[in-house]
Amino acid sequence: MALEPVLPAIPVWSSYVAVAVGGIAGASHAARRGFDVIGVLGLAVAAGLGGLLLRDVLLQKGTPVVLTDPRYLLAAALAALAGFFFGGLIARLGKFLLGLDALAMGLFVSLGASAALYYQLSPPAAIFLAVTTAVGGGILRDLLSGEPPSILRPGIFSGVAAVIGALVFLTLNEFRWPTFWLQLATIVTVFAVRVLALWRGWESPTSVDVTDRIWTLWTHTKEHRIHYRDLVARVHPPPERETDTDVDPAPAAERPDPASERPGPS
């Protein structure tokens, strides 16, 4: 069974537009690196359809929807043509396409989360599937072009925005919101986070090694414990215990004679 039942509650054409936006990003990525027509088409298909394809493969619930509905492949192919012949125009529309890309990411997040809830997956699995659907196309695009995936490197929020959008989707679903409003709220949230990140220059942080900090804190804490224990011992010394040398021995006259305690002859 294909995944038509979990297509968006918002107009279906919006998912085709999202695929086209991702495809244009992949095609322009290939054109800037001098790829031929097959390379441009391949990256357009990977970037536009990769997220939905990964979602359906992970769910294993039938033929992927991008193969059962030819309009998805058509949208990716048209995006490839646009990127191949109009690369300069696309470069001039950079900011506009960034906004469309943010909207498309929000839609992909909602599609992944909707599919996870439809098949009654756990919340962590739903978040994983939503984020994979949103960033899967970009990961495939970068891998096919021989580059480290941008989602794995420091930069403007993309994966973080997808995680926040998935959390919003699941939170509002607990309040029994209709699917349309769930998806719309997710799209708006992801769009707002990405636009704010671009405007404010927010970037995902790199790893931070806190080993030395934890060791220093542990050492200081241990020293404080020892100092406190010594202070308590000086203020409240423990009572002295009596020893055998402190007890006066009984006088010899008071000691019983062992010979007197022996029984006499019968």
Side-chain angles (χ1 to χ4, degrees), residues 3 40 58 73-75 81 85 94 99 107 135 149 159 162 164 175 177 194 212 231 261:
L3 287 177
V40 173
L58 289 173
L73 288 172
L74 179 61
L81 290 176
F85 290 107
L107 180 60
V135 304
I164 294 174
F175 295 96
W177 278 36
R194 292 210 65 188
D212 293 337
L231 181 62
E261 295 182 356

Side-chain angles (χ1 to χ4, degrees), residues 86-255:
F86 302 100
L89 177 61
I90 292 174
R92 296 188 187 96
L93 298 175
K95 293 183 178 180
F96 176 71
L97 288 179
L98 284 175
L100 287 181
D101 183 65
L103 291 173
M105 175 173 281
L107 180 60
F108 284 137
V109 169
S110 66
L111 289 175
S114 298
L117 294 183
Y118 179 83
Y119 290 111
Q120 299 179 353
L121 299 182
S122 64
I127 294 174
F128 172 77
L129 195 64
V131 175
T132 300
T133 307
V135 304
I139 291 176
L140 291 178
R141 176 201 65 193
D142 293 339
L143 291 177
L144 290 176
S145 59
E147 300 176 1
S150 59
I151 187 67
L152 304 180
R153 293 177 292 171
I156 299 299
F157 289 171
S158 55
V160 174
V163 171
I164 294 174
L167 290 173
V168 169
F169 187 99
L170 295 178
T171 301
L172 296 181
N173 181 68
E174 294 297 322
F175 295 96
R176 299 295 186 269
W177 278 36
T179 304
F180 172 82
W181 295 109
L182 283 175
Q183 295 177 341
L184 187 61
T186 303
I187 294 171
V188 171
T189 299
V190 175
F191 176 80
V193 171
R194 292 210 65 188
V195 170
L196 282 174
L198 290 169
W199 177 44
R200 304 293 297 177
W202 295 340
E203 293 188 354
S204 53
T206 58
S207 61
V208 179
D209 189 359
V210 297
T211 305
D212 293 337
R213 298 180 185 178
I214 294 177
W215 178 253
T216 302
L217 179 62
W218 167 256
T219 303
H220 289 172
T221 304
K222 185 176 180 180
E223 292 176 355
H224 287 316
R225 288 203 308 267
I226 295 174
H227 177 71
Y228 178 76
R229 186 176 59 192
D230 295 341
L231 181 62
V232 170
R234 287 196 298 268
V235 175
H236 303 288
E240 297 182 358
R241 292 182 298 178
E242 295 183 351
T243 59
D244 295 340
T245 57
D246 297 332
V247 180
D248 294 335
E254 298 179 2
R255 295 178 185 174

